[in-house]
Amino acid sequence: MSNFGLSGKMIAQPGKRDELAAILMEAASGMDAVADCQIYIVGVLPEEPDAIWITEVWDNAEAHQASLALEVTQAMIRRAKPLIAGFEQQVKHVPLGGKGMTAR
Amino acid sequence: MSNFGLSGKMIAQPGKRDELAAILMEAASGMDAVADCQIYIVGVLPEEPDAIWITEVWDNAEAHQASLALEVTQAMIRRAKPLIAGFEQQVKHVPLGGKGMTAR
């Protein structure tokens, strides 16, 4: 099965970027316990004060999909949702390999 | 100093994606020896047969800039250049942290 990569921009409600980023960083910490999540990085964009850039790499698309159904993810989504204005530039890709991926 | 993230799409000349991806995978292997490169992943986009998606995370922007000046990088760029039709959606971000980054 192919690896699965998801990168994209999340736009926070005005002034809420840092609060949203903190929730996403909690989610990232939770990923330490999720073996099939290889990368989950939260970034900000210097020239867009309300934007967050998220970088995810999973063992496969099914693992990513399954993570969305976990109660801990659902609880996180409930907290984050009121702070989110929208999504942009979502890119789904198939990582072939490289530095930072987990060898399986 | 802030971490530095660069994600973006490289468009290969028609039919040259796999050849270009192979050169970039060589570059990715070379990054194992570059301590301040945390992530360098080469991916493809299922719905765009000529596109490559690259995900990079560096300790800082200066480290990324310095890597471009290395002779090994310059040699790689010379080989890749004739295969590249263009770049799209380049996103520079500041990774705050998360799974897959190197603790410093």
Side-chain angles (χ1 to χ4, degrees):
Chain A
M1 223 161 357
S2 301
N3 289 301
F4 175 75
L6 182 62
S7 292
K9 200 186 283 187
M10 200 180 274
I11 311 295
Q13 298 291 353
K16 297 294 186 186
R17 183 197 70 180
D18 290 351
E19 197 178 330
L20 180 56
I23 294 172
L24 294 166
M25 286 291 284
E26 268 184 62
S29 294
M31 292 301 165
D32 286 337
V34 180
D36 43 21
C37 173
Q38 299 188 27
I39 291 174
Y40 190 109
I41 292 173
V42 180
V44 294
L45 297 165
E47 287 162 26
E48 298 179 56
D50 294 323
I52 291 172
W53 184 258
I54 301 178
T55 303
E56 300 177 46
V57 173
W58 294 78
D59 283 0
N60 52 64
E62 292 70 18
H64 172 253
Q65 198 58 41
S67 78
L68 297 176
L70 296 174
E71 174 49 30
V72 60
T73 311
Q74 288 295 321
M76 195 272 292
I77 291 172
R78 280 193 294 275
R79 286 168 59 207
K81 214 166 180 179
L83 306 176
I84 300 172
F87 296 89
E88 290 178 7
Q89 278 182 269
Q90 291 237 310
V91 178
K92 289 180 186 176
H93 60 106
V94 177
L96 302 176
K99 188 168 187 179
M101 286 181 64
T102 313
R104 302 280 177 200
Chain B
M1 222 163 355
S2 302
N3 289 302
F4 175 75
L6 182 62
S7 291
K9 199 187 285 185
M10 200 179 275
I11 311 295
Q13 298 291 354
K16 297 294 186 187
R17 183 197 69 180
D18 290 350
E19 198 179 330
L20 180 56
I23 294 173
L24 293 167
M25 285 291 284
E26 269 185 62
S29 294
M31 292 301 166
D32 286 337
V34 180
D36 42 21
C37 173
Q38 299 188 27
I39 291 173
Y40 190 109
I41 292 173
V42 180
V44 294
L45 297 165
E47 287 162 26
E48 298 178 55
D50 294 323
I52 291 173
W53 184 258
I54 301 177
T55 303
E56 300 178 45
V57 173
W58 294 79
D59 283 1
N60 52 64
E62 292 70 18
H64 172 253
Q65 198 57 42
S67 77
L68 296 177
L70 296 174
E71 173 49 31
V72 61
T73 312
Q74 288 295 321
M76 196 273 291
I77 292 171
R78 279 194 294 275
R79 285 168 59 206
K81 214 168 180 176
L83 307 175
I84 300 172
F87 295 89
E88 290 177 9
Q89 277 182 272
Q90 291 237 309
V91 178
K92 290 180 185 176
H93 60 106
V94 178
L96 302 176
K99 188 169 186 177
M101 286 180 63
T102 314
R104 302 280 177 199

